[in-house]
Amino acid sequence: MTASLVLYGSPLSPFQRKVEAVMALKGLDYDCEDVNVMGMPDWYKAISPLGRIPSLRDRDIAEDGAAGTITDSSAICGYLEKRQPEPSVYPADAFDHGRALWLEEYADTGLAMAGGMGVFRPIIFNLFQRKQPDIETARKTWNEKLPPLWDYLEHYLDGRSHFIGDSITIADISVAAQIAQTEMLAGLPDKSRWPSLVAHFEAMKAHDCFQRNNAGCDRILAKLVPEKYDLGA
Ligand SMILES: N[C@@H](CCC(=O)N[C@@H](CS)C(=O)NCC(=O)O)C(=O)O
């Protein structure tokens, strides 16, 4: 039986990971359809004019074409929250809501630019093209660009299990979705320097809401990256 919701993208996208976690947390069933980011088909460009994954289709709205679709992980998660309000992933308190949106943005831009463009792409995109992984760029990013980003999150958490309140919000999901992007290739930041962040990520990665995406990534990476890279200085 087909699900009402279809996610177009790839499990390896941290933005798809974020959306999958929100859908899983809300108990929403969904189908996945892969879209190749290195050669996007025209039918997909019509849905995502900026040429990005993921996009969501709600088959209850429309079965084909651009109708019934929403692109951009933040827009999709905002839609899902209205479509299936419980459990909520956005805090009810106005100020906390704003803070959650900020951390989502911090993850989607700060962590994504450094970890995605500076570690994930130089390794994986090269491997997909049967080239040597660009370890020098990845190592420089890991040692110079990522530590200040992790520092901010470590201070924000300050020993707590969640970024805001005591249940999972879009902030926890967005940060973990991006940390996963580097963890799958190079492991975790040093636990002695970033203990709260590492504990937070380990708990989030083990949570039910990430399991389907974890399995999807493992399937793709099993042959491509049999061992993690050591990017430490
Ligand atoms: N703001 C977008 C960002 C999505 C994004 O950058 N996706 C990447 C893959 S992880 C992509 O589609 N890149 C294609 C490209 O840059 O050509 C979101 O939240 O969904």
Side-chain angles (χ1 to χ4, degrees):
M1 213 178 81
T2 53
S4 296
L5 299 173
V6 190
L7 194 55
Y8 299 117
S10 161
L12 289 182
S13 160
F15 303 99
Q16 164 145 341
R17 184 169 307 117
K18 172 181 143 190
V19 173
E20 284 198 64
V22 168
M23 291 199 283
L25 205 65
K26 289 179 173 293
L28 292 165
D29 191 16
Y30 60 97
D31 293 330
C32 287
E33 276 186 34
D34 283 351
V35 170
N36 181 359
V37 279
M38 293 163 85
M40 275 177 192
D42 288 342
W43 68 264
Y44 184 74
K45 286 187 198 150
I47 288 173
S48 176
L50 296 179
R52 304 258 159 80
I53 56 166
S55 298
L56 180 85
R57 172 178 302 284
D58 191 335
R59 286 185 173 124
D60 291 348
I61 311 266
E63 296 265 354
D64 345 84
T69 65
I70 296 178
T71 194
D72 188 277
S73 66
S74 301
I76 296 168
C77 292
Y79 171 63
L80 294 171
E81 178 80 358
K82 293 277 185 195
R83 190 186 192 273
Q84 173 66 49
E86 295 298 330
S88 174
V89 291
Y90 294 86
D93 176 80
F95 188 64
D96 283 349
H97 181 82
R99 292 201 296 133
L101 295 184
W102 153 240
L103 286 164
E104 179 184 16
E105 175 61 15
Y106 185 86
D108 288 2
T109 54
L111 288 179
M113 280 309 290
M117 306 302 273
V119 175
F120 188 83
R121 274 187 184 228
I123 294 177
I124 289 294
F125 277 39
N126 280 16
L127 289 173
F128 276 146
Q129 294 170 84
R130 297 176 190 278
K131 291 193 223 154
Q132 284 301 313
D134 178 1
I135 300 300
E136 204 183 316
T137 299
R139 185 165 282 137
K140 201 167 160 56
T141 305
W142 182 267
N143 292 294
E144 293 172 22
K145 290 199 180 143
L146 284 166
L149 291 159
W150 295 333
D151 281 345
Y152 179 78
L153 296 170
E154 179 67 26
H155 290 131
Y156 211 108
L157 273 171
D158 196 21
R160 289 173 300 113
S161 58
H162 298 86
F163 278 100
I164 294 157
D166 52 14
S167 60
I168 295 180
T169 67
I170 195 71
D172 301 297
I173 290 172
S174 306
V175 169
Q178 296 293 340
I179 299 276
Q181 203 67 1
T182 44
E183 188 269 343
M184 62 178 93
L185 300 183
L188 284 167
D190 181 352
K191 203 172 186 161
S192 63
R193 181 164 164 196
W194 295 282
S196 308
L197 184 60
V198 170
H200 176 271
F201 176 76
E202 284 174 337
M204 291 300 293
K205 187 181 177 185
H207 193 281
D208 283 351
C209 71
F210 278 103
Q211 295 323 306
R212 181 167 164 185
N213 184 271
N214 287 345
C217 293
D218 288 349
R219 259 195 311 275
I220 300 172
L221 293 182
K223 281 203 182 125
L224 209 55
V225 185
E227 264 179 46
K228 292 193 182 175
Y229 294 87
D230 179 3
L231 299 181

